[in-house]
Amino acid sequence: MSVVDLVLIGRNEGARLVAALAAAEGQARRIVYVDSGSTDGSLDAAHTAGAEIVTLDLSVPFTAARARNAGAARVLAVDPPDYIQFIDGDCAIVDGWTRQAAAHLDARLETALVTGWRAEIHAEASPYNRLCHWEWRRPAGEIAACGGDMMVRSGAFQALGGFDPTVIAAEDDEFCTRLRKAGWRLERLPAEMTRHDAAMTRFGQWWRRAERTGHGFAQVGQLHPEYFATERRRALVYGLAVPVAALVAAALSPWLALVVLLAYPLNWWKSAAGLRRDGLNPRSARVLGLLLTLSKFPNLIGMARFHLRRARRAPMRLIEYK
């Protein structure tokens, strides 16, 4: 029977980490918790749960990629597992997932990575949580990339050198892109994998998360120009080109500026229609469609932040929203 070790990463997750550790019990041979400078009771919670603990050097900027690599290094150092299950500290793994995922990898040697469905545990607490829930529920089958909850073949992980620790957002997309370029297949199984707690109840949190997403669009795009190309183009069009065009048009005629600005309600209508096709009710589709339209502005800010940091050779520090 194939061996699975679980790497759980976190920073100041509080009760979410306690729930994650409890859910992980019995799901893998070893549980390794990697802490990125927590100041709450995270280390005590991991010790009480019996997890192996890895603490990151506080003098080096934290990234999720760096944390996952540190956890993987621990499980690969002695008696390596066949597969590594990565889980974020705000997620609780669903009972039986690791067995199902490992069995799938056992049967498909061409597949290096499998993921499943995340579910937002408080999806109705805010429109921002509902948007996360929708993002997590993508169709099953072969995929281009996935989020940080994933099971990976140890050999494939080692061959690629793990995650890129300099990528502060969408590091999972970047890792997946390199896996695909190396000839591996990636799959999403039609199965529940984790319960996620985004804990986003304020507009400012959502805005910061969208900034971080834009930073990922730019940074991963710098490494793989073909990836996130559509997302970068949308941010440039709706976050920059349309406002500039509206200002130029306003100098000629206010009515012409209004015509240009119709691009936003049109984008909202198209987004809402797409969400309806995905099964959302009309009201949720309208609200989440508005967030998707507005997201182009913080996305653009995040993209600009990456390029400014890169030009100044400044550290790529985390953009946190919790």
Side-chain angles (χ1 to χ4, degrees), residues 13 22 28 35 38 63 75 106-107 117 120 122 127 132 141 165 177 185 203 215 227 245 264-265 282 307 310:
E13 295 294 350
D35 188 83
S38 291
T63 66
V75 301
D106 285 345
W117 285 324
E120 197 58 42
H122 299 300
C132 283
T177 300
R185 178 182 172 92
F203 180 81
H215 195 289
Y227 199 75
Y264 293 111
H307 288 295
R310 182 169 175 267

Side-chain angles (χ1 to χ4, degrees), residues 207-289:
W207 184 277
R208 290 282 291 174
R209 183 176 183 268
E211 280 189 39
R212 188 182 70 176
T213 298
H215 195 289
F217 290 165
Q219 189 172 15
V220 176
Q222 188 71 32
L223 298 168
H224 308 280
E226 77 288 353
Y227 199 75
F228 285 140
T230 299
E231 290 80 0
R232 294 195 302 275
R233 183 170 60 252
R234 287 172 178 164
L236 287 169
V237 169
Y238 292 103
L240 182 62
V242 172
V244 169
L247 287 173
V248 172
L252 302 173
S253 165
W255 293 107
L256 183 58
L258 287 174
V259 170
V260 173
L261 291 174
L262 285 174
Y264 293 111
L266 177 60
N267 181 261
W268 167 78
W269 180 82
K270 290 173 62 178
S271 297
L275 291 165
R276 286 287 306 278
R277 289 193 294 272
D278 275 356
L280 271 68
N281 63 59
R283 183 179 182 280
S284 290
R286 289 193 296 269
V287 173
L288 301 193

